Amino acid sequence: MDSGKGQIDLFLRRCDDVMHTSFILADAKIAELLKSIATSDLLYIFFQNITQNFDYVSAQLRYMNYMPYPGSRKHKLLFPEDPTEKLAFIFCLLVDIDTRVIDLGEFLSEYYYAEGDMNLGFRQFGAEVVLPLKNLIRQMFRSGATDPRVVRARGKAAAEHLARIVRSERDRVFESSLADAKKVDGLLILNALAEAAAKADARLLGGLLCGYGYFVRAAGWKSENISDMFSAFEKFKEQL
């Protein structure tokens, strides 16, 4: 794990892909952008946290019904001033577009009409919706970022990364040819490690990892997961 830098870089590239594509490819590029969030422990946890208590329905009523000109039938898309609420609103909007709750063509005609030029309308959409998303994430996750939501997301992502390695090691021990007694000892420690990782309990994780290290040496057990677990734990501690 690289503390999320690679995950953030991929997300930023996917934002660029959306902004630089044509309308005909927009659906696919938006899907790839959202996939870069879903497959990133760090971004998935972050967006999960900021949307948990976000009232998207109320936000839609507030920010998607403004008509800038008297008598106009077209709306202007507005955005929350708070950066975190803005991120939550844009994320939910993109999900609605991706799941076809909102038809992108109709949305562009309503909010970014450009005399029938869907590509021009989509570029305006990219500038007003996707570019702020990109810039806010890049700013919030830059090196040394202290936003508490980012810090929590990084800690949880690091713990989940460690938990995945522990689960892999648990499967490997269970399927191994170790004597049953040794196998049971190893699995007891690994089960406790998985639980501690789920709780992101650094003190318990450290103690259990030390115990597993003794087990490995005593049992003569070898696995590529072992060094990965200790490395992931060090990365986890860096986020505390």
Side-chain angles (χ1 to χ4, degrees), residues 147-175:
D147 186 294
R149 289 157 296 208
V150 175
V151 173
R152 285 196 298 271
R154 281 181 167 157
K156 289 183 178 179
E160 174 55 30
H161 178 66
L162 174 56
R164 279 201 304 272
I165 301 172
V166 171
R167 291 193 292 269
S168 174
E169 175 69 358
R170 186 170 56 189
D171 292 341
R172 182 166 294 187
V173 169
F174 180 78
E175 296 169 357

Side-chain angles (χ1 to χ4, degrees), residues 82-139:
D82 178 77
T84 303
E85 289 188 6
K86 187 173 185 177
L87 283 171
F89 177 66
I90 292 174
F91 174 77
C92 291
L93 178 63
L94 290 175
V95 170
D96 270 0
I97 292 172
D98 182 55
T99 56
R100 305 295 196 274
V101 172
I102 292 176
D103 180 270
L104 180 57
E106 294 177 0
F107 180 84
L108 294 178
S109 296
E110 183 67 29
Y111 295 94
Y112 295 102
Y113 181 75
E115 298 183 355
D117 188 337
M118 298 300 282
N119 285 319
L120 179 57
F122 185 67
R123 285 197 292 273
Q124 293 174 351
F125 168 85
E128 289 192 19
V129 178
V130 182
L131 183 59
L133 173 70
K134 173 188 174 181
N135 288 340
L136 284 169
I137 289 296
R138 181 169 55 187
Q139 179 182 5

Side-chain angles (χ1 to χ4, degrees), residues 140-211:
M140 294 181 79
F141 284 85
R142 69 184 184 275
S143 179
T146 57
D147 186 294
R149 289 157 296 208
V150 175
V151 173
R152 285 196 298 271
R154 281 181 167 157
K156 289 183 178 179
E160 174 55 30
H161 178 66
L162 174 56
R164 279 201 304 272
I165 301 172
V166 171
R167 291 193 292 269
S168 174
E169 175 69 358
R170 186 170 56 189
D171 292 341
R172 182 166 294 187
V173 169
F174 180 78
E175 296 169 357
S176 73
S177 59
L178 284 171
D180 287 348
K182 290 182 178 180
K183 188 180 295 189
V184 168
D185 288 343
L187 290 174
L188 283 172
I189 300 174
L190 289 168
N191 286 336
L193 270 169
E195 184 176 346
K199 296 178 180 178
D201 188 327
R203 181 177 299 180
L204 186 56
L205 279 169
L208 288 168
L209 278 172
C210 287

